[in-house]
Amino acid sequence: MPAPQNAATDAILAQLGQVLLGKPQALRLALACLLGRGHLLIEDQPGVGKTTLAHALAVTLGLDFQRVQFTSDLLPADLIGVTIFDTAQQGFRFHPGPLFTQVLLADEINRSTPKTQSALLEAMEERQVSVDGKTHPLPEPFFVIATQNPSQQIGTFPLPESQLDRFLMRLSLGLPDAAAERELLAGRDRREILAGLPACISSAELQALQAQAATVHVSERILDYVQALLAKTRSLPEIAQGLSPRAGLGLLAAARAWALIAGRDHVRPEDVQAILPAVAGHRLNAADTRQGGEMLARRLIESVAVS
Amino acid sequence: MAESRPSPPLPREAGFFLLATAALGLAPFVPYLPWSLSLLAALLLLWRGVLVWRDAPPPARFTLLLAAALGIVLTVASYHTIFGKQAGLSLLSMLLPLKLLEARTRRDGRAALLLCCFLLTGQFLNAQSMAVAAFVLLCATAIVATSAKLEQPGQAPRGALRTALRLLGGAVPLMLLLFVLFPRINGPLWGMPLDAYAGSTGLSDSMRPGSISELIQSGEIAFRVEFEGTPPAPAQRYWRGPVLSEFDGQEWKVRESMLRRAPTYTVAGPAYRYSLTLEPHNRGWLLALDYPDSGAADALYGDDLVLLARRPVRNRVRYNLTSFPETPVGLQERENVLKAALRLPPASNPRTSALGAGLQAGNAEPAARVEAALRFMREARLAYTLSPPLLGQHPADEFLFDTKRGFCEHFAGSFVVLMRAAGVPARVVTGYQGGEFNPVDGTLVVRQSDAHAWAEVWLAGRGWQRVDPTAASFPRRIDEGIARALPEGEAMPIMLRQNFEFLRSLRYRWEAISNGWNQWVLGYNAQRQLDLMRSLGLPDADWRQLAGLLAACASAWLLWLGLRLWPRHARLDALDRCWRRLCRKLARQGVRHQPWEAPGDFARRAAAALPQHADTIIAIAEHYATLRYGPGVEKPATQLAALRAAVQQFRP
C-alpha cells in the first residue's frame, strides 16, 4: 500500500527543499506550523538559513514578506507604523509599518526591548493592532517567523515563558550535513534562486489548506493520548512546570496540520509524537537547566503509552 | 510507620465543609437538648467558624479542657448522670464541636467526620420517622462529600457532591439487600435506657375532670386498624382502654384486677377480625374492640375485660384480634367486684346521691333506673363542650345541677356516681371511640383526639352493659364525631375542623405513607421477613439461607460495580486485540513493541527488521491505524473481520 500523499503540500515542500538543502524535517515542521495558524520561533546561530527559510516560505506560498532586524533601539512604532499629518488631505493618516505583511521575519527578536517584543507578540496573538484608538486588522494569513540566537545572550532580553508560549513551535535548523553543504557551496546564490521561484499556491488556496487542517479528525483515543501526555508533564520529576491547556490545543493544531501534510484525514499517535518536541520543547521548563526541552520531549514520549 | 509522617494540615475550604456538616448533624438534637447545652454547642461551632475564617490556630489545650468540663457539668446538671440515652447524646453533641475546635490536620478532620457518623445513628434513638431517615440520608451525603473534599482539597464543591452521590448511590443496593435479607432476630438485640420513653401521650390509669379534654387536643395517632371484611359501624367502635372503678370524690382510678391467660367469657354473636398497630404509650393496656376472643398473642385478660400486654408498650406493636361485640360478659360477676362498683365516698356529691336515692325509690327494676337517669341527663340540657368550667369539691353535683357544661369525662363520671347512688353497680371505661378511615390506604386511624369515656352498668341476668351518657345526650358525638357535637363557634384543634378539607387530604396521604413506613420498614421483623421469603419462593428460609442469599446478591452487585469502575483503558476492544496479536507475533521474531511506540513507527521498524514481510506488516498497521484513529468507516464489522483475517494469516 503506497503511503498517502498530499499533492499540494508535497509540491511546496519539494520547492522549499531546493532552496534549503538537507532539512526536510524542519521544512515540514515549519509548514505544519503555518498550516496550524501558529507562529514559528527559530533558535539558531547566524548563517544557517533562517532568513532563507522565511523568504522561501513566503515566495512559495505567494505571500508578502517583510524582514525586520530587531535592535535595542527599535521602537514599537517602527514596527506598527505611525500616524502623520498629511498636508495634502489636511488630516492625520496612518502609515502602516512593516508589521502589515503576511510573512514577517523578526530577526533576533531578543535584541529588542521588552516593550517592542510585547508589541509584536500582542499583534501575533490578536492579529490586529490598535493605533490612536483605531483598530487595524493585519493581513490574512499572518505568520511571524522570529529568530533568536541562543549562544550570545549578552545585551539581550530573552523572551519570558509567557511570551514563548505565543509561538506554536520552536525549531533549530542546525548545520547542514556534508553533502548538503557541498551542494550549497557548489550551487547558485540562494538569493538568485529565491528571485526566480514561482508561487506554488495562491494566498486563497493557502487559507483553504489551513481551513482543511482544522477539520482533520481527532479520535477519542488521540484525545486520551494527548491528555495523558499533558498529565505526564505535570507529574514527571524532571519537569519543573507542566504544559498548559493552550499548549495542548497547540499540540492538536500542529498534529492536525502534520496529518494533513502526510495526506491523511485523521491524526495518529505518530503525528503527535512528530510535532511534540517542536511544540512542547520551548514550553517545558526542565528542573535541571542543563537538560534541553527537546530531550525532555523525547523522554516524555517514551514514558506515555500510546492508547 | 504512619506516625512518623505528620498528617497534612486541614485545608481552609475543607474546614468550612466540616463546619457545615457538623452543624447539619447537630441540628436535629437541638429539640432534645437542654437549651444551655445547645447554646454551648452553637457557640463552640461559631468560635470554630471564626478561627477558620481568620486562618487562626486552634485555642490552647487548657481552654479546650475548660470547655469540655463545662459541657460535662451542664450535662450532669441537666440529667444528674452522664449515662443513658439523653445524657450520652448530649455529651456526644458536645464532643463534636470540641473535636472540630482542636482540629489542625486532615487526620483530625477524619476523626470529626467519624463522630458525625456516630451522631447520625444517634438521631434514630430519638425518632425513627421517614423524615428523620431522609434527614439522615442528607447528613450522610454531606459527610461523604466533606470526606471527598478533605482527601482531595482541590476538588470543586460540586465535584465533591457528585462523588458523594455516586458513592452513596453505589451503596444503596447494598443497604437494601442488608435490610431485606439480613437475618432478623426476634426481639431487640439491646434495650433502650428507661429515659427513652418519657413523654409518650395516651390514656392514663386515672381520670379527673379535664384529663380527657386535654388529651383530645393532640392530633397524634393512637393506633391504626386494618379490618378483614366489613368494619363495624361508627357507633359500634368502642376501643376499650383502662376501666376505672375506684372513686375518691374527685378522681377515678383503676382497680387492681385479676389477670388470666384466657378470657372468662364465652364469645358469641358476629365477629370482626382486624389487626391493630398500636403506637407506644408506655402503659400496659392493648386497645381492643369489645370483647376480644382468646388467643391474642402474648396478652393477658383482666377481669375488668381489659386486654393487657405483659410489658409496657414501648415500641410500636402489631397484633391480630377477633372481637365479638355482642358477647354477654360478667353474667356471674364476683361479689367483691360488684361491691366495688357500688362504692361511693361518704359525703361527696350530696345532691347527686339524693337524686340517685330518689331513682332507686321510684324504680324497682335496675334497668328502669338506668333509663330514668339517662332521661334525667337528657332533660337537664347539659352542654357538650371542650372548655368546661372548673369544678370544685363535688364535681358530679356541680356538673349536673350548676354549670351543666362538660366533656365526656363529666358525663360518664357523673352518670356512674348517679348509678351507684341509685344502687346499680357501675364503672367508668376510658378508651377511644370511632376513628377515621384514611381513604388512601383504607386503614382506620384512631387518634388521641378520639379519646372517650363512657360507663358500664351491671344488671342481673344481663351482665355488664355499655351505657354512653354522652351518646345519649349527644348522639351526633358518636355518629359524626366531636366536631359535629360541639356547638358552633367553639375553639377546636385545627385538624378536627371540618373546613380544612385540603389539609385533611394532605394529612391522609402523609399518614398513609408513614403507615407504610411503619409497617414495612420499622415493622419489618422476623415474621415479615419470613412472609416475604415465602412469597419469593423460599418457604422456610432459615438464617443460613438468608445469609447465603445476602452474600450472593451483595457479591454480584460488588462485582458489577468493580467491572464498571475498572480503568477504561484496560478494557480491550476487538481492534486492540487484533493489534496485540500482531505485536505478539512480531515479538516472537524479536521485534518487540514498546508501549509508547506509535503503530506506524513500529510497523516501519518491524518492516526494516523483517524485510520479507515488510509490505504485509505496513499494510496491516495502516489498516489498523485507519480503523483505530480514522473518522469512522463504512461497514466497520467487515473491515474489522478483514483486519482479523489479515492478522490471522500473517505468519512471520
Side-chain angles (χ1 to χ4, degrees), chain A residues 12-72:
Chain A
I12 296 166
L13 288 173
Q15 184 165 319
L16 289 173
Q18 290 169 18
V19 185
L20 204 69
L21 300 168
K23 295 282 166 208
Q25 185 75 4
L27 292 176
R28 225 177 153 91
L29 281 171
L31 182 62
C33 185
L34 176 55
L35 292 181
R37 293 181 201 265
H39 303 287
L40 180 65
L41 177 67
I42 303 180
E43 212 174 72
D44 226 325
Q45 61 194 81
V48 291
K50 293 179 299 232
T51 314
T52 314
L53 169 64
H55 207 163
L57 258 177
V59 171
T60 309
L61 299 173
L63 302 173
D64 301 337
F65 174 71
Q66 290 280 354
R67 175 173 178 277
V68 179
Q69 178 68 46
F70 277 46
T71 55
S72 56

Side-chain angles (χ1 to χ4, degrees), chain B residues 168-502:
Chain B
L168 286 177
V172 162
L174 278 185
M175 176 188 88
L176 293 179
L177 279 173
L178 281 170
F179 177 78
V180 174
L181 292 178
F182 193 85
R184 299 267 157 174
I185 293 154
N186 264 322
L189 272 182
W190 56 82
M192 288 273 274
L194 278 177
D195 66 342
Y197 305 103
S200 325
T201 50
L203 297 169
S204 87
D205 54 5
S206 66
M207 181 184 89
R208 49 169 56 247
S211 59
I212 289 188
S213 47
E214 223 167 74
L215 188 58
I216 80 137
Q217 301 285 344
S218 159
E220 268 179 57
I221 290 173
F223 53 91
R224 292 182 169 93
V225 190
E226 287 166 63
F227 282 101
E228 285 177 27
T230 11
Q236 291 264 312
R237 289 184 217 132
Y238 279 87
W239 306 93
R240 181 183 282 258
V243 172
L244 314 173
S245 305
E246 303 278 348
F247 184 53
D248 64 359
Q250 288 282 328
E251 192 174 16
W252 290 91
K253 283 200 177 114
V254 170
R255 184 171 180 275
E256 288 293 318
S257 74
M258 293 259 287
L259 298 177
R260 300 165 207 277
R261 285 168 184 281
T264 47
Y265 47 82
T266 327
V267 295
Y272 294 100
R273 282 181 63 78
Y274 54 95
S275 67
L276 194 148
T277 309
L278 182 62
E279 297 292 317
H281 57 76
N282 209 16
R283 303 290 186 143
W285 41 83
L286 301 171
L287 280 300
L289 208 57
D290 279 340
Y291 298 96
D293 193 4
S294 61
D298 210 22
L300 297 171
Y301 295 80
D303 60 4
D304 51 4
L305 312 173
V306 176
L307 199 60
L308 282 161
R310 287 174 195 271
R311 261 162 252 103
V313 180
R314 284 175 175 165
N315 296 303
R316 193 175 288 110
V317 290
R318 185 185 158 94
Y319 45 91
N320 297 311
L321 288 176
T322 311
S323 285
F324 298 81
E326 288 169 27
T327 306
V329 287
L331 291 177
Q332 276 100 41
E333 192 55 278
R334 285 177 310 160
E335 202 53 41
N336 61 340
V337 171
L338 292 181
K339 213 174 266 172
L342 279 171
R343 202 176 294 142
L344 277 176
S348 94
N349 298 304
R351 282 184 277 175
T352 315
S353 301
L355 176 66
L359 288 178
Q360 188 170 20
N363 302 281
E365 269 305 302
R369 292 176 216 160
V370 175
E371 282 310 315
L374 284 176
R375 198 162 49 242
F376 166 78
M377 286 182 79
R378 254 197 307 276
E379 285 163 2
R381 300 203 167 273
L382 304 170
Y384 184 68
T385 172
L386 264 182
S387 41
L390 279 176
L391 299 179
Q393 207 185 344
H394 304 295
D397 279 7
E398 287 164 43
F399 169 62
L400 286 177
F401 300 103
D402 302 336
T403 66
K404 300 199 172 186
R405 289 157 58 76
F407 197 58
C408 55
E409 67 257 39
H410 300 87
F411 282 83
S414 307
F415 178 76
V416 173
V417 171
L418 185 55
M419 282 291 96
R420 288 184 178 188
V424 182
R427 59 196 184 187
V428 175
V429 184
T430 57
Y432 298 87
Q433 206 289 321
E436 194 176 25
F437 276 99
N438 186 331
V440 180
D441 61 357
T443 54
L444 181 76
V445 179
V446 180
R447 296 171 196 285
Q448 302 298 355
S449 56
D450 292 316
H452 190 48
W454 60 94
E456 244 175 7
V457 294
W458 189 84
L459 302 175
R462 287 163 69 187
W464 287 105
Q465 295 286 315
R466 180 167 65 222
V467 179
D468 189 344
T470 317
S473 306
F474 293 92
R476 299 180 87 179
R477 161 67 181 87
I478 304 307
D479 295 333
E480 295 169 56
I482 294 180
R484 295 272 177 207
L486 288 172
E488 288 287 319
E490 174 108 346
M492 275 204 336
I494 191 163
M495 279 301 177
L496 285 177
R497 296 187 199 173
Q498 299 288 310
N499 47 356
F500 281 84
E501 274 311 312
F502 170 69

Side-chain angles (χ1 to χ4, degrees), chain A:
Chain A
M1 197 186 283
Q5 304 287 314
N6 185 326
T9 53
D10 282 352
I12 296 166
L13 288 173
Q15 184 165 319
L16 289 173
Q18 290 169 18
V19 185
L20 204 69
L21 300 168
K23 295 282 166 208
Q25 185 75 4
L27 292 176
R28 225 177 153 91
L29 281 171
L31 182 62
C33 185
L34 176 55
L35 292 181
R37 293 181 201 265
H39 303 287
L40 180 65
L41 177 67
I42 303 180
E43 212 174 72
D44 226 325
Q45 61 194 81
V48 291
K50 293 179 299 232
T51 314
T52 314
L53 169 64
H55 207 163
L57 258 177
V59 171
T60 309
L61 299 173
L63 302 173
D64 301 337
F65 174 71
Q66 290 280 354
R67 175 173 178 277
V68 179
Q69 178 68 46
F70 277 46
T71 55
S72 56
D73 54 357
L74 187 79
L75 294 174
D78 298 335
L79 208 56
I80 295 165
V82 285
T83 309
I84 301 173
F85 189 75
D86 189 340
T87 43
Q89 289 182 7
Q90 286 297 304
F92 285 96
R93 208 158 68 83
F94 177 63
H95 290 262
L99 191 64
F100 288 83
T101 184
Q102 288 173 314
V103 177
L104 175 75
L105 175 62
D107 235 346
E108 300 199 77
I109 187 171
N110 56 340
R111 297 229 165 261
S112 76
T113 52
K115 195 176 176 181
T116 312
Q117 284 175 5
S118 70
L120 172 68
L121 293 160
E122 236 178 275
M124 282 163 56
E125 190 67 19
E126 312 288 334
R127 291 178 188 267
Q128 62 180 29
V129 288
S130 296
V131 184
D132 299 331
K134 258 190 83 179
T135 304
H136 305 276
L138 292 172
E140 271 292 322
F142 177 66
F143 182 49
V144 173
I145 303 176
T147 72
Q148 64 176 4
N149 189 338
S151 54
Q152 292 162 7
Q153 295 288 339
I154 302 165
T156 64
F157 303 93
L159 292 177
E161 282 84 5
S162 61
Q163 307 277 37
L164 278 176
D165 202 34
R166 308 276 169 100
F167 290 97
L168 177 59
M169 287 189 191
R170 184 183 66 178
L171 289 180
S172 276
L173 287 176
L175 294 169
D177 58 20
E181 193 169 27
R182 179 73 177 216
E183 200 184 332
L184 177 75
L185 294 174
R188 286 193 294 158
D189 181 20
R190 296 294 112 187
R191 257 168 298 181
E192 209 176 294
I193 300 175
L194 274 174
L197 275 185
C200 280
I201 55 171
S202 69
S203 149
E205 281 171 317
L206 175 66
Q207 288 188 42
L209 270 180
Q210 283 182 331
Q212 197 188 337
T215 62
V216 169
H217 176 74
V218 171
S219 61
E220 290 287 318
R221 291 287 183 119
I222 294 296
L223 289 179
D224 287 348
Y225 181 50
V226 168
Q227 268 200 308
L229 284 170
L230 293 180
K232 196 73 188 178
T233 63
R234 295 160 195 162
S235 67
L236 267 184
E238 293 98 314
I239 298 172
Q241 195 184 356
L243 291 180
S244 64
R246 171 155 58 181
L249 287 173
L251 273 178
L252 284 178
R256 282 185 159 117
W258 190 265
L260 181 75
I261 294 170
R264 265 186 276 107
D265 61 350
H266 59 270
V267 176
R268 289 185 186 174
E270 45 263 56
D271 302 329
V272 179
Q273 293 181 354
I275 51 88
L276 184 74
V279 175
H282 58 295
R283 291 178 162 108
L284 290 174
N285 276 350
D288 173 4
T289 44
R290 281 168 302 179
Q291 245 181 332
E294 276 76 8
M295 255 168 74
L296 274 183
R298 280 271 31 112
R299 165 100 180 71
L300 175 63
I301 287 173
E302 290 179 11
S303 56
V304 177
V306 166
S307 58

